Amino acid sequence: MILIVSHERDDHAAAVLGALRRTGHPVVMLDTARYPEHVTLRSEFTPDGTRWWVRGLDGVGSDAWVDLAGCHAAWWRRPQPYELNSAAARRRGELGLPGMPRGDGRSVRRDPGHVDQRP
């Protein structure tokens, strides 16, 4: 499989993607701007090492997990920065995920021995 890392408005990457598909090469595109709202990453830690999976790639079903171990070539074309929309940021803040912005704009920081007293 060939992985193209770019964005949906990259006409050059779209042309290369189409040409590769027409010649029968398995190819997918990762739009980094869609992370984490529409693209999901997952890792598995095994005795044989770490494996990475991604869901939400162009070229496969949106719910299909793709094992990146099958990726034999990648083109880092024009990745775009990702942004959390305000609703997603609030959800993550409500969950109290360390390092993520809370709904009030502050980051949640915890030391390992901290016991959360929030209701």
Side-chain angles (χ1 to χ4, degrees):
M1 170 183 54
I2 301 168
L3 173 68
I4 297 175
V5 182
S6 190
H7 59 92
E8 64 186 10
R9 293 174 309 281
D10 184 346
D11 294 334
H12 187 70
V16 171
L17 186 78
L20 287 168
R21 285 184 178 151
R22 283 191 299 279
T23 59
H25 290 85
V27 60
V28 294
M29 187 165 83
L30 170 61
D31 182 350
T32 54
R34 294 174 44 97
Y35 173 81
E37 297 298 314
H38 304 285
V39 172
T40 306
L41 296 172
R42 180 180 84 193
S43 62
E44 293 179 359
F45 302 97
T46 68
D48 297 327
T50 305
R51 293 184 69 177
W52 291 92
W53 300 76
V54 64
R55 181 173 63 185
L57 296 174
D58 178 36
V60 295
S62 62
D63 288 335
W65 285 100
V66 175
D67 184 354
L68 292 180
C71 177
H72 300 287
W75 181 27
W76 190 262
R77 166 76 176 148
R78 288 194 174 156
Q80 301 296 302
Y82 68 88
E83 247 181 59
L84 290 177
N85 68 35
S86 59
R90 280 193 301 278
R91 281 195 309 272
R92 283 169 177 74
E94 289 166 5
L95 295 174
L97 299 176
M100 295 300 294
R102 296 173 12 148
D104 59 8
R106 296 181 303 164
S107 290
V108 175
R109 300 272 185 236
R110 295 207 179 111
D111 64 65
H114 176 75
V115 176
D116 196 347
Q117 300 296 322
R118 290 186 293 173

